[in-house]
Amino acid sequence: FKEIGDARPRAAAPFEKLHMDLFSVTTTSLGGANNCLLVTDDNSRWRMAFPIKHKSDALKCLEKIMVEIKAIQQDAQVREVRINTFHSDNGGEFVGAAFQTKCREYGVQQIFSAPYTPEQNGIAERAIQIVVAMARTMRLQAGLPLAFWAEFVATAVYVLNRSPTEALQGDTPFHKVYGRHALLDHLRVPGCLASVLYYPQQREDKKFGARAWDGVLIGYDPFNRTNYKIYDPQRKGMFYSAHVKFDERTFPAKNPKPVQEELNILDLY
């Protein structure tokens, strides 16, 4: 979209101005969400996603946004920049008295697009299109149910924050925020087979118990690139682990009983 009616120059620093919008999903996520608040930074195009149950829960996301940005700035070891502006449409979740009051408490100015004019906040609109398209592709590749949509939205945001974008003339949001290029050697194909090491205290029998369990790669730890988010179909839960071996040719959710080559468990250490 071409931005009409917002000729303001790009924000001078990351997180000074944020564009936000909501999208809804018919299928309830594993965490009980049917909506997602997607936030895009004007300067760096850094994105953040917050799955929520009701649109009105966008109010609860304000504090989460502040906390996440502070954590990013501390992790990047850069000077903390105060958020000055939120740009959104005229959705009831944004124009409500409670939301506006909370923005004033944080010292944040709100800018609203004109009714039925989404192109005035084209950054937010495009962000939703891009994130949803990538998350959808990841889920289909993984062969997992629709309820995993929020997990793959988070993974799509993680990857996009580390990917070149035309909006930055080929630079990446990560580089704009952190001042250095992201390491990408840890990235794997979402949905692939992940064999996760059982730690000694977790083994059924130290001598003859299984040394690893098979799961599905879902995503990453945003603040620790050595940790992978793995779904265990047996326990039906998500777990983080740094000791994982991947088979990027096998997708367990598509083939529940894949034919696997013998795994050398020593490679997990």
PDB file of all heavy atoms in Angstrom, residues 34-65:
ATOM      1  N   ASN A  34      -7.519 -16.338  19.368  1.00  0.00           N
ATOM      2  CA  ASN A  34      -8.190 -16.244  18.073  1.00  0.00           C
ATOM      3  C   ASN A  34      -7.834 -14.947  17.346  1.00  0.00           C
ATOM      4  O   ASN A  34      -8.360 -14.675  16.266  1.00  0.00           O
ATOM      5  CB  ASN A  34      -9.708 -16.313  18.230  1.00  0.00           C
ATOM      6  CG  ASN A  34     -10.198 -17.712  18.542  1.00  0.00           C
ATOM      7  OD1 ASN A  34     -10.513 -18.034  19.690  1.00  0.00           O
ATOM      8  ND2 ASN A  34     -10.243 -18.567  17.526  1.00  0.00           N
ATOM      9  N   ASN A  35      -6.961 -14.174  17.966  1.00  0.00           N
ATOM     10  CA  ASN A  35      -6.515 -12.917  17.377  1.00  0.00           C
ATOM     11  C   ASN A  35      -5.021 -12.759  17.621  1.00  0.00           C
ATOM     12  O   ASN A  35      -4.437 -13.441  18.473  1.00  0.00           O
ATOM     13  CB  ASN A  35      -7.252 -11.723  18.007  1.00  0.00           C
ATOM     14  CG  ASN A  35      -8.749 -11.803  17.833  1.00  0.00           C
ATOM     15  OD1 ASN A  35      -9.291 -11.406  16.812  1.00  0.00           O
ATOM     16  ND2 ASN A  35      -9.441 -12.318  18.843  1.00  0.00           N
ATOM     17  N   CYS A  36      -4.421 -11.851  16.862  1.00  0.00           N
ATOM     18  CA  CYS A  36      -2.993 -11.584  17.063  1.00  0.00           C
ATOM     19  C   CYS A  36      -2.731 -10.100  16.819  1.00  0.00           C
ATOM     20  O   CYS A  36      -3.150  -9.550  15.791  1.00  0.00           O
ATOM     21  CB  CYS A  36      -2.151 -12.436  16.121  1.00  0.00           C
ATOM     22  SG  CYS A  36      -0.361 -12.262  16.379  1.00  0.00           S
ATOM     23  N   LEU A  37      -2.067  -9.461  17.766  1.00  0.00           N
ATOM     24  CA  LEU A  37      -1.638  -8.078  17.617  1.00  0.00           C
ATOM     25  C   LEU A  37      -0.227  -8.094  17.041  1.00  0.00           C
ATOM     26  O   LEU A  37       0.689  -8.645  17.655  1.00  0.00           O
ATOM     27  CB  LEU A  37      -1.653  -7.357  18.960  1.00  0.00           C
ATOM     28  CG  LEU A  37      -1.135  -5.915  18.953  1.00  0.00           C
ATOM     29  CD1 LEU A  37      -2.064  -5.018  18.136  1.00  0.00           C
ATOM     30  CD2 LEU A  37      -1.005  -5.373  20.374  1.00  0.00           C
ATOM     31  N   LEU A  38      -0.078  -7.519  15.859  1.00  0.00           N
ATOM     32  CA  LEU A  38       1.235  -7.468  15.215  1.00  0.00           C
ATOM     33  C   LEU A  38       1.753  -6.038  15.257  1.00  0.00           C
ATOM     34  O   LEU A  38       1.074  -5.110  14.819  1.00  0.00           O
ATOM     35  CB  LEU A  38       1.142  -7.963  13.775  1.00  0.00           C
ATOM     36  CG  LEU A  38       2.473  -8.155  13.038  1.00  0.00           C
ATOM     37  CD1 LEU A  38       3.317  -9.215  13.726  1.00  0.00           C
ATOM     38  CD2 LEU A  38       2.230  -8.536  11.585  1.00  0.00           C
ATOM     39  N   VAL A  39       2.941  -5.875  15.791  1.00  0.00           N
ATOM     40  CA  VAL A  39       3.550  -4.561  15.977  1.00  0.00           C
ATOM     41  C   VAL A  39       4.801  -4.472  15.103  1.00  0.00           C
ATOM     42  O   VAL A  39       5.635  -5.388  15.117  1.00  0.00           O
ATOM     43  CB  VAL A  39       3.913  -4.326  17.452  1.00  0.00           C
ATOM     44  CG1 VAL A  39       4.547  -2.951  17.642  1.00  0.00           C
ATOM     45  CG2 VAL A  39       2.683  -4.481  18.337  1.00  0.00           C
ATOM     46  N   THR A  40       4.929  -3.384  14.344  1.00  0.00           N
ATOM     47  CA  THR A  40       6.084  -3.186  13.471  1.00  0.00           C
ATOM     48  C   THR A  40       6.740  -1.857  13.782  1.00  0.00           C
ATOM     49  O   THR A  40       6.068  -0.814  13.814  1.00  0.00           O
ATOM     50  CB  THR A  40       5.672  -3.221  11.985  1.00  0.00           C
ATOM     51  OG1 THR A  40       5.001  -4.448  11.710  1.00  0.00           O
ATOM     52  CG2 THR A  40       6.899  -3.102  11.086  1.00  0.00           C
ATOM     53  N   ASP A  41       8.044  -1.877  13.986  1.00  0.00           N
ATOM     54  CA  ASP A  41       8.780  -0.646  14.272  1.00  0.00           C
ATOM     55  C   ASP A  41       8.999   0.149  12.987  1.00  0.00           C
ATOM     56  O   ASP A  41       9.382  -0.401  11.945  1.00  0.00           O
ATOM     57  CB  ASP A  41      10.132  -0.989  14.907  1.00  0.00           C
ATOM     58  CG  ASP A  41      11.003   0.239  15.090  1.00  0.00           C
ATOM     59  OD1 ASP A  41      10.484   1.250  15.599  1.00  0.00           O
ATOM     60  OD2 ASP A  41      12.184   0.194  14.697  1.00  0.00           O
ATOM     61  N   ASP A  42       8.749   1.447  13.050  1.00  0.00           N
ATOM     62  CA  ASP A  42       8.840   2.310  11.874  1.00  0.00           C
ATOM     63  C   ASP A  42      10.274   2.414  11.361  1.00  0.00           C
ATOM     64  O   ASP A  42      10.513   2.384  10.150  1.00  0.00           O
ATOM     65  CB  ASP A  42       8.320   3.710  12.225  1.00  0.00           C
ATOM     66  CG  ASP A  42       8.253   4.629  11.020  1.00  0.00           C
ATOM     67  OD1 ASP A  42       7.308   4.484  10.231  1.00  0.00           O
ATOM     68  OD2 ASP A  42       9.149   5.483  10.873  1.00  0.00           O
ATOM     69  N   ASN A  43      11.231   2.522  12.246  1.00  0.00           N
ATOM     70  CA  ASN A  43      12.617   2.751  11.841  1.00  0.00           C
ATOM     71  C   ASN A  43      13.291   1.490  11.332  1.00  0.00           C
ATOM     72  O   ASN A  43      13.929   1.485  10.279  1.00  0.00           O
ATOM     73  CB  ASN A  43      13.410   3.333  13.017  1.00  0.00           C
ATOM     74  CG  ASN A  43      14.898   3.414  12.739  1.00  0.00           C
ATOM     75  OD1 ASN A  43      15.646   2.470  12.940  1.00  0.00           O
ATOM     76  ND2 ASN A  43      15.339   4.580  12.277  1.00  0.00           N
ATOM     77  N   SER A  44      13.178   0.392  12.068  1.00  0.00           N
ATOM     78  CA  SER A  44      13.940  -0.826  11.768  1.00  0.00           C
ATOM     79  C   SER A  44      13.124  -1.926  11.104  1.00  0.00           C
ATOM     80  O   SER A  44      13.695  -2.905  10.625  1.00  0.00           O
ATOM     81  CB  SER A  44      14.537  -1.385  13.063  1.00  0.00           C
ATOM     82  OG  SER A  44      13.499  -1.846  13.919  1.00  0.00           O
ATOM     83  N   ARG A  45      11.806  -1.779  11.105  1.00  0.00           N
ATOM     84  CA  ARG A  45      10.875  -2.808  10.625  1.00  0.00           C
ATOM     85  C   ARG A  45      10.923  -4.073  11.487  1.00  0.00           C
ATOM     86  O   ARG A  45      10.514  -5.142  11.052  1.00  0.00           O
ATOM     87  CB  ARG A  45      11.137  -3.165   9.158  1.00  0.00           C
ATOM     88  CG  ARG A  45      10.889  -2.023   8.181  1.00  0.00           C
ATOM     89  CD  ARG A  45       9.464  -1.450   8.320  1.00  0.00           C
ATOM     90  NE  ARG A  45       9.096  -0.640   7.170  1.00  0.00           N
ATOM     91  CZ  ARG A  45       9.178   0.690   7.115  1.00  0.00           C
ATOM     92  NH1 ARG A  45       9.616   1.352   8.169  1.00  0.00           N
ATOM     93  NH2 ARG A  45       8.801   1.361   6.041  1.00  0.00           N
ATOM     94  N   TRP A  46      11.431  -3.949  12.704  1.00  0.00           N
ATOM     95  CA  TRP A  46      11.404  -5.059  13.662  1.00  0.00           C
ATOM     96  C   TRP A  46       9.951  -5.364  14.010  1.00  0.00           C
ATOM     97  O   TRP A  46       9.155  -4.451  14.225  1.00  0.00           O
ATOM     98  CB  TRP A  46      12.179  -4.686  14.924  1.00  0.00           C
ATOM     99  CG  TRP A  46      12.301  -5.798  15.927  1.00  0.00           C
ATOM    100  CD1 TRP A  46      11.406  -6.125  16.894  1.00  0.00           C
ATOM    101  CD2 TRP A  46      13.381  -6.724  16.044  1.00  0.00           C
ATOM    102  NE1 TRP A  46      11.848  -7.205  17.621  1.00  0.00           N
ATOM    103  CE2 TRP A  46      13.061  -7.591  17.117  1.00  0.00           C
ATOM    104  CE3 TRP A  46      14.584  -6.907  15.367  1.00  0.00           C
ATOM    105  CZ2 TRP A  46      13.905  -8.624  17.526  1.00  0.00           C
ATOM    106  CZ3 TRP A  46      15.419  -7.935  15.765  1.00  0.00           C
ATOM    107  CH2 TRP A  46      15.087  -8.776  16.831  1.00  0.00           C
ATOM    108  N   ARG A  47       9.607  -6.633  14.071  1.00  0.00           N
ATOM    109  CA  ARG A  47       8.222  -7.031  14.321  1.00  0.00           C
ATOM    110  C   ARG A  47       8.105  -7.795  15.631  1.00  0.00           C
ATOM    111  O   ARG A  47       9.018  -8.507  16.039  1.00  0.00           O
ATOM    112  CB  ARG A  47       7.693  -7.888  13.170  1.00  0.00           C
ATOM    113  CG  ARG A  47       7.644  -7.152  11.835  1.00  0.00           C
ATOM    114  CD  ARG A  47       7.097  -8.043  10.735  1.00  0.00           C
ATOM    115  NE  ARG A  47       6.946  -7.322   9.472  1.00  0.00           N
ATOM    116  CZ  ARG A  47       7.827  -7.376   8.472  1.00  0.00           C
ATOM    117  NH1 ARG A  47       8.910  -8.120   8.605  1.00  0.00           N
ATOM    118  NH2 ARG A  47       7.617  -6.711   7.366  1.00  0.00           N
ATOM    119  N   MET A  48       6.939  -7.659  16.249  1.00  0.00           N
ATOM    120  CA  MET A  48       6.583  -8.401  17.460  1.00  0.00           C
ATOM    121  C   MET A  48       5.146  -8.879  17.316  1.00  0.00           C
ATOM    122  O   MET A  48       4.291  -8.136  16.826  1.00  0.00           O
ATOM    123  CB  MET A  48       6.715  -7.508  18.705  1.00  0.00           C
ATOM    124  CG  MET A  48       8.125  -7.021  18.981  1.00  0.00           C
ATOM    125  SD  MET A  48       8.176  -5.772  20.319  1.00  0.00           S
ATOM    126  CE  MET A  48       7.620  -4.321  19.399  1.00  0.00           C
ATOM    127  N   ALA A  49       4.878 -10.104  17.741  1.00  0.00           N
ATOM    128  CA  ALA A  49       3.537 -10.675  17.622  1.00  0.00           C
ATOM    129  C   ALA A  49       3.028 -11.092  18.996  1.00  0.00           C
ATOM    130  O   ALA A  49       3.759 -11.710  19.774  1.00  0.00           O
ATOM    131  CB  ALA A  49       3.548 -11.880  16.681  1.00  0.00           C
ATOM    132  N   PHE A  50       1.755 -10.774  19.259  1.00  0.00           N
ATOM    133  CA  PHE A  50       1.145 -11.084  20.554  1.00  0.00           C
ATOM    134  C   PHE A  50      -0.211 -11.760  20.329  1.00  0.00           C
ATOM    135  O   PHE A  50      -1.215 -11.073  20.095  1.00  0.00           O
ATOM    136  CB  PHE A  50       0.965  -9.808  21.377  1.00  0.00           C
ATOM    137  CG  PHE A  50       2.238  -9.052  21.633  1.00  0.00           C
ATOM    138  CD1 PHE A  50       2.649  -8.047  20.762  1.00  0.00           C
ATOM    139  CD2 PHE A  50       3.036  -9.368  22.720  1.00  0.00           C
ATOM    140  CE1 PHE A  50       3.824  -7.361  20.983  1.00  0.00           C
ATOM    141  CE2 PHE A  50       4.224  -8.678  22.952  1.00  0.00           C
ATOM    142  CZ  PHE A  50       4.619  -7.674  22.080  1.00  0.00           C
ATOM    143  N   PRO A  51      -0.261 -13.090  20.354  1.00  0.00           N
ATOM    144  CA  PRO A  51      -1.553 -13.781  20.228  1.00  0.00           C
ATOM    145  C   PRO A  51      -2.448 -13.461  21.427  1.00  0.00           C
ATOM    146  O   PRO A  51      -1.987 -13.478  22.575  1.00  0.00           O
ATOM    147  CB  PRO A  51      -1.163 -15.263  20.213  1.00  0.00           C
ATOM    148  CG  PRO A  51       0.290 -15.275  19.829  1.00  0.00           C
ATOM    149  CD  PRO A  51       0.865 -14.033  20.433  1.00  0.00           C
ATOM    150  N   ILE A  52      -3.702 -13.151  21.174  1.00  0.00           N
ATOM    151  CA  ILE A  52      -4.635 -12.810  22.238  1.00  0.00           C
ATOM    152  C   ILE A  52      -5.986 -13.471  21.967  1.00  0.00           C
ATOM    153  O   ILE A  52      -6.319 -13.778  20.826  1.00  0.00           O
ATOM    154  CB  ILE A  52      -4.821 -11.273  22.367  1.00  0.00           C
ATOM    155  CG1 ILE A  52      -5.190 -10.654  21.014  1.00  0.00           C
ATOM    156  CG2 ILE A  52      -3.582 -10.631  22.957  1.00  0.00           C
ATOM    157  CD1 ILE A  52      -5.403  -9.149  21.049  1.00  0.00           C
ATOM    158  N   LYS A  53      -6.743 -13.680  23.025  1.00  0.00           N
ATOM    159  CA  LYS A  53      -8.034 -14.353  22.895  1.00  0.00           C
ATOM    160  C   LYS A  53      -9.083 -13.411  22.311  1.00  0.00           C
ATOM    161  O   LYS A  53      -9.800 -13.758  21.365  1.00  0.00           O
ATOM    162  CB  LYS A  53      -8.495 -14.882  24.247  1.00  0.00           C
ATOM    163  CG  LYS A  53      -9.748 -15.744  24.180  1.00  0.00           C
ATOM    164  CD  LYS A  53     -10.044 -16.400  25.516  1.00  0.00           C
ATOM    165  CE  LYS A  53     -11.246 -17.332  25.407  1.00  0.00           C
ATOM    166  NZ  LYS A  53     -11.533 -18.017  26.694  1.00  0.00           N
ATOM    167  N   HIS A  54      -9.187 -12.232  22.893  1.00  0.00           N
ATOM    168  CA  HIS A  54     -10.184 -11.249  22.444  1.00  0.00           C
ATOM    169  C   HIS A  54      -9.480  -9.988  21.949  1.00  0.00           C
ATOM    170  O   HIS A  54      -8.380  -9.656  22.407  1.00  0.00           O
ATOM    171  CB  HIS A  54     -11.129 -10.878  23.587  1.00  0.00           C
ATOM    172  CG  HIS A  54     -11.803 -12.052  24.223  1.00  0.00           C
ATOM    173  ND1 HIS A  54     -12.760 -12.805  23.582  1.00  0.00           N
ATOM    174  CD2 HIS A  54     -11.641 -12.608  25.458  1.00  0.00           C
ATOM    175  CE1 HIS A  54     -13.171 -13.764  24.381  1.00  0.00           C
ATOM    176  NE2 HIS A  54     -12.511 -13.680  25.519  1.00  0.00           N
ATOM    177  N   LYS A  55     -10.111  -9.270  21.039  1.00  0.00           N
ATOM    178  CA  LYS A  55      -9.524  -8.029  20.545  1.00  0.00           C
ATOM    179  C   LYS A  55      -9.289  -7.038  21.680  1.00  0.00           C
ATOM    180  O   LYS A  55      -8.315  -6.276  21.661  1.00  0.00           O
ATOM    181  CB  LYS A  55     -10.425  -7.409  19.475  1.00  0.00           C
ATOM    182  CG  LYS A  55     -10.441  -8.168  18.161  1.00  0.00           C
ATOM    183  CD  LYS A  55     -11.254  -7.425  17.109  1.00  0.00           C
ATOM    184  CE  LYS A  55     -11.189  -8.130  15.769  1.00  0.00           C
ATOM    185  NZ  LYS A  55     -11.935  -7.415  14.706  1.00  0.00           N
ATOM    186  N   SER A  56     -10.175  -7.049  22.648  1.00  0.00           N
ATOM    187  CA  SER A  56     -10.038  -6.130  23.779  1.00  0.00           C
ATOM    188  C   SER A  56      -8.773  -6.405  24.599  1.00  0.00           C
ATOM    189  O   SER A  56      -8.340  -5.556  25.378  1.00  0.00           O
ATOM    190  CB  SER A  56     -11.270  -6.220  24.684  1.00  0.00           C
ATOM    191  OG  SER A  56     -11.456  -7.544  25.154  1.00  0.00           O
ATOM    192  N   ASP A  57      -8.201  -7.589  24.419  1.00  0.00           N
ATOM    193  CA  ASP A  57      -6.979  -7.926  25.148  1.00  0.00           C
ATOM    194  C   ASP A  57      -5.769  -7.163  24.629  1.00  0.00           C
ATOM    195  O   ASP A  57      -4.673  -7.293  25.184  1.00  0.00           O
ATOM    196  CB  ASP A  57      -6.711  -9.429  25.059  1.00  0.00           C
ATOM    197  CG  ASP A  57      -7.738 -10.255  25.825  1.00  0.00           C
ATOM    198  OD1 ASP A  57      -8.331  -9.707  26.776  1.00  0.00           O
ATOM    199  OD2 ASP A  57      -7.952 -11.428  25.469  1.00  0.00           O
ATOM    200  N   ALA A  58      -5.957  -6.386  23.560  1.00  0.00           N
ATOM    201  CA  ALA A  58      -4.855  -5.562  23.051  1.00  0.00           C
ATOM    202  C   ALA A  58      -4.341  -4.624  24.140  1.00  0.00           C
ATOM    203  O   ALA A  58      -3.151  -4.292  24.179  1.00  0.00           O
ATOM    204  CB  ALA A  58      -5.315  -4.751  21.845  1.00  0.00           C
ATOM    205  N   LEU A  59      -5.235  -4.215  25.028  1.00  0.00           N
ATOM    206  CA  LEU A  59      -4.837  -3.347  26.143  1.00  0.00           C
ATOM    207  C   LEU A  59      -3.771  -4.015  27.006  1.00  0.00           C
ATOM    208  O   LEU A  59      -2.800  -3.376  27.431  1.00  0.00           O
ATOM    209  CB  LEU A  59      -6.064  -3.005  27.000  1.00  0.00           C
ATOM    210  CG  LEU A  59      -5.810  -2.200  28.274  1.00  0.00           C
ATOM    211  CD1 LEU A  59      -5.215  -0.833  27.941  1.00  0.00           C
ATOM    212  CD2 LEU A  59      -7.102  -2.041  29.064  1.00  0.00           C
ATOM    213  N   LYS A  60      -3.928  -5.326  27.233  1.00  0.00           N
ATOM    214  CA  LYS A  60      -2.967  -6.058  28.068  1.00  0.00           C
ATOM    215  C   LYS A  60      -1.603  -6.159  27.394  1.00  0.00           C
ATOM    216  O   LYS A  60      -0.595  -6.408  28.058  1.00  0.00           O
ATOM    217  CB  LYS A  60      -3.499  -7.451  28.371  1.00  0.00           C
ATOM    218  CG  LYS A  60      -4.840  -7.479  29.097  1.00  0.00           C
ATOM    219  CD  LYS A  60      -5.343  -8.899  29.276  1.00  0.00           C
ATOM    220  CE  LYS A  60      -6.712  -8.925  29.933  1.00  0.00           C
ATOM    221  NZ  LYS A  60      -7.250 -10.309  30.057  1.00  0.00           N
ATOM    222  N   CYS A  61      -1.586  -5.994  26.077  1.00  0.00           N
ATOM    223  CA  CYS A  61      -0.330  -6.118  25.346  1.00  0.00           C
ATOM    224  C   CYS A  61       0.568  -4.895  25.495  1.00  0.00           C
ATOM    225  O   CYS A  61       1.769  -4.977  25.225  1.00  0.00           O
ATOM    226  CB  CYS A  61      -0.603  -6.353  23.858  1.00  0.00           C
ATOM    227  SG  CYS A  61      -1.375  -7.937  23.488  1.00  0.00           S
ATOM    228  N   LEU A  62       0.010  -3.770  25.916  1.00  0.00           N
ATOM    229  CA  LEU A  62       0.818  -2.549  26.020  1.00  0.00           C
ATOM    230  C   LEU A  62       2.022  -2.743  26.935  1.00  0.00           C
ATOM    231  O   LEU A  62       3.153  -2.404  26.579  1.00  0.00           O
ATOM    232  CB  LEU A  62      -0.040  -1.384  26.501  1.00  0.00           C
ATOM    233  CG  LEU A  62      -0.985  -0.769  25.464  1.00  0.00           C
ATOM    234  CD1 LEU A  62      -1.785   0.358  26.085  1.00  0.00           C
ATOM    235  CD2 LEU A  62      -0.216  -0.274  24.251  1.00  0.00           C
ATOM    236  N   GLU A  63       1.779  -3.304  28.099  1.00  0.00           N
ATOM    237  CA  GLU A  63       2.889  -3.530  29.031  1.00  0.00           C
ATOM    238  C   GLU A  63       3.863  -4.559  28.465  1.00  0.00           C
ATOM    239  O   GLU A  63       5.084  -4.423  28.614  1.00  0.00           O
ATOM    240  CB  GLU A  63       2.370  -3.996  30.392  1.00  0.00           C
ATOM    241  CG  GLU A  63       3.481  -4.138  31.430  1.00  0.00           C
ATOM    242  CD  GLU A  63       2.955  -4.438  32.828  1.00  0.00           C
ATOM    243  OE1 GLU A  63       1.708  -4.452  33.008  1.00  0.00           O
ATOM    244  OE2 GLU A  63       3.769  -4.653  33.730  1.00  0.00           O
ATOM    245  N   LYS A  64       3.328  -5.594  27.778  1.00  0.00           N
ATOM    246  CA  LYS A  64       4.200  -6.606  27.174  1.00  0.00           C
ATOM    247  C   LYS A  64       5.097  -5.991  26.113  1.00  0.00           C
ATOM    248  O   LYS A  64       6.275  -6.348  25.982  1.00  0.00           O
ATOM    249  CB  LYS A  64       3.360  -7.729  26.558  1.00  0.00           C
ATOM    250  CG  LYS A  64       2.578  -8.554  27.563  1.00  0.00           C
ATOM    251  CD  LYS A  64       1.764  -9.625  26.859  1.00  0.00           C
ATOM    252  CE  LYS A  64       0.944 -10.444  27.843  1.00  0.00           C
ATOM    253  NZ  LYS A  64       0.117 -11.478  27.140  1.00  0.00           N
ATOM    254  N   ILE A  65       4.549  -5.041  25.349  1.00  0.00           N
ATOM    255  CA  ILE A  65       5.340  -4.358  24.331  1.00  0.00           C
ATOM    256  C   ILE A  65       6.483  -3.594  24.986  1.00  0.00           C
ATOM    257  O   ILE A  65       7.643  -3.664  24.542  1.00  0.00           O
ATOM    258  CB  ILE A  65       4.451  -3.396  23.512  1.00  0.00           C
ATOM    259  CG1 ILE A  65       3.463  -4.186  22.656  1.00  0.00           C
ATOM    260  CG2 ILE A  65       5.306  -2.480  22.635  1.00  0.00           C
ATOM    261  CD1 ILE A  65       2.390  -3.333  22.006  1.00  0.00           C
TER     262      ILE A  65
END
